Amino acid sequence: MTEITRTPSASATSPAPRGAGDARPGVRLRAEGLTLAYGERTVVRELDLDVPDGTITAVIGPNGCGKSTLLRAFGRLMKPTAGQVLLDGRPVHRIPTREVAELVGLLPQSPAAPEGLSVADLVARGRHPHQSWYRRWSSDDEAAVAQALRATGMYELAERTLDELSGGQRQRAWIAMALAQQTELLLLDEPTNHLDLAHQIEVLDLVRELHLTTGRTVVVVLHDLSLAARYADRLVAMKDGRVVAQGAPCEVLTGELVRDVFGLRARVRRDEETGAPLVIPLSRHDRTAADGV
């Protein structure tokens, strides 16, 4: 399939930070010839991908295509068998763990916490990368936690345990923990997993608001194609461990791509309310053929 690309927006073309080596302007996170495997099973194959700075990039694709594995590699949790992930122009696996944690926040799929942990204690864990034997808890840490709780609407629930919260509230608490790290890059692996539609919208609204108010670069894995198109500036479609299309949602998300990548007939229309592509799946009982936007 022909790869779709687009020119980064003005917000995605800010100069690379000093000391970034051969980092591309406007790109702090990049996969170059990336191959990832679990033992003998290769999951991601020779993948090249730039993440434009200052954007929300949503990664879509069928189960098992390598989306979550790619995010793990971006967060330095998985070492490539070939190729590399570059962070500010440097191979991420050559950067000290603490430094990566100060630059990149990763919220994995279905995170777990000890029973009885309070929201405040969970969010405080986001400050661990900033701690050391010579630097203990400080007023800066206290301020970062309070700011993260307020930004996610969790300040009034800080003393509650995670067990007492609804699914949407728990996800907001985990996002608050990631925010407390105060990283400029945020990786979210299926943050709407197991949530009903109202809570999915609640969480994605929060992600979008945080992006708009702080300028954070966000990479998020999502299953719902219509929601991905609605909230992301850019879509990356994966199949069999490779990127098959990337670009603006209205360019990437077509009936042809849904059929080729997901094996699903669908109509793709433009949402009258948001202007984003809207995917309408067709069952085998529908007699009309799928078409594009």
Side-chain angles (χ1 to χ4, degrees):
M1 181 182 297
T2 302
E3 181 174 306
I4 301 169
T5 58
R6 71 181 179 100
T7 302
S9 63
S11 64
T13 56
S14 56
R18 292 183 180 181
D22 60 351
R24 294 183 180 181
V27 175
R28 298 189 62 189
L29 191 61
R30 176 184 175 198
E32 190 176 74
L34 186 66
T35 298
L36 303 166
Y38 296 101
E40 299 293 321
R41 184 170 65 93
T42 299
V43 180
V44 171
R45 305 169 188 275
E46 300 178 356
L47 184 145
D48 294 317
L49 179 63
D50 289 350
V51 177
D53 206 17
T55 63
I56 296 180
T57 297
V59 184
I60 60 173
N63 290 337
C65 73
K67 304 185 299 297
S68 296
T69 302
L70 173 63
L71 227 61
R72 286 174 56 81
F74 276 161
R76 199 182 176 273
L77 296 183
M78 190 168 186
K79 191 171 183 178
T81 57
Q84 59 187 347
V85 171
L86 298 175
L87 176 60
D88 291 338
R90 296 183 291 166
V92 72
H93 278 87
R94 296 181 185 174
I95 303 175
T97 301
R98 182 180 296 275
E99 184 178 349
V100 172
E102 292 175 350
L103 296 171
V104 181
L106 171 62
L107 182 58
Q109 188 181 152
S110 303
E115 186 176 350
L117 190 71
S118 72
V119 171
D121 288 340
L122 174 69
V123 177
R125 293 184 174 204
R127 300 303 296 168
H128 286 179
H130 303 273
Q131 307 297 312
S132 64
W133 66 269
Y134 60 85
R135 185 191 182 284
R136 301 299 181 181
W137 189 263
S138 69
S139 59
D140 288 342
D141 297 317
E142 195 74 39
V145 169
Q147 183 180 18
L149 288 168
R150 287 193 176 95
T152 54
M154 296 299 292
Y155 192 80
E156 301 300 325
L157 303 177
E159 299 308 316
R160 291 197 188 179
T161 66
L162 295 178
D163 304 329
E164 298 178 74
L165 304 180
S166 69
Q169 289 170 334
R170 278 195 298 273
Q171 285 296 76
R172 281 165 35 201
W174 283 105
I175 292 173
M177 185 196 73
L179 288 180
Q181 280 184 246
Q182 294 188 323
T183 63
E184 296 176 10
L185 298 165
L186 191 57
L187 312 177
L188 305 174
D189 191 1
E190 297 189 37
T192 58
N193 198 26
H194 304 309
L195 298 182
D196 61 35
L197 185 57
H199 285 130
Q200 290 179 42
I201 298 297
E202 176 185 332
V203 167
L204 292 176
D205 276 348
L206 170 62
V207 171
R208 187 68 178 171
E209 288 162 10
L210 292 171
H211 161 73
L212 292 174
T213 56
T214 67
R216 277 182 172 85
T217 300
V218 180
V219 184
V220 56
V221 171
L222 290 173
H223 274 298
D224 189 302
L225 302 182
S226 295
L227 289 180
R230 178 176 180 177
Y231 284 93
D233 304 307
R234 184 169 175 271
L235 295 183
V236 174
M238 291 183 63
K239 181 181 180 182
D240 298 330
R242 292 186 171 91
V243 172
V244 295
Q246 58 180 308
C250 60
E251 296 172 341
V252 171
L253 204 53
T254 65
E256 179 186 5
L257 179 125
V258 174
R259 182 178 64 249
D260 292 345
V261 172
F262 295 91
L264 175 70
R265 291 192 313 132
R267 290 195 188 96
V268 181
R269 301 297 192 195
R270 194 171 302 280
D271 189 321
E272 295 181 1
E273 186 71 24
T274 66
L278 182 65
V279 179
I280 305 170
L282 299 175
S283 77
R284 64 178 182 272
H285 302 294
D286 294 314
R287 285 183 279 179
T288 55
D291 55 13
V293 175

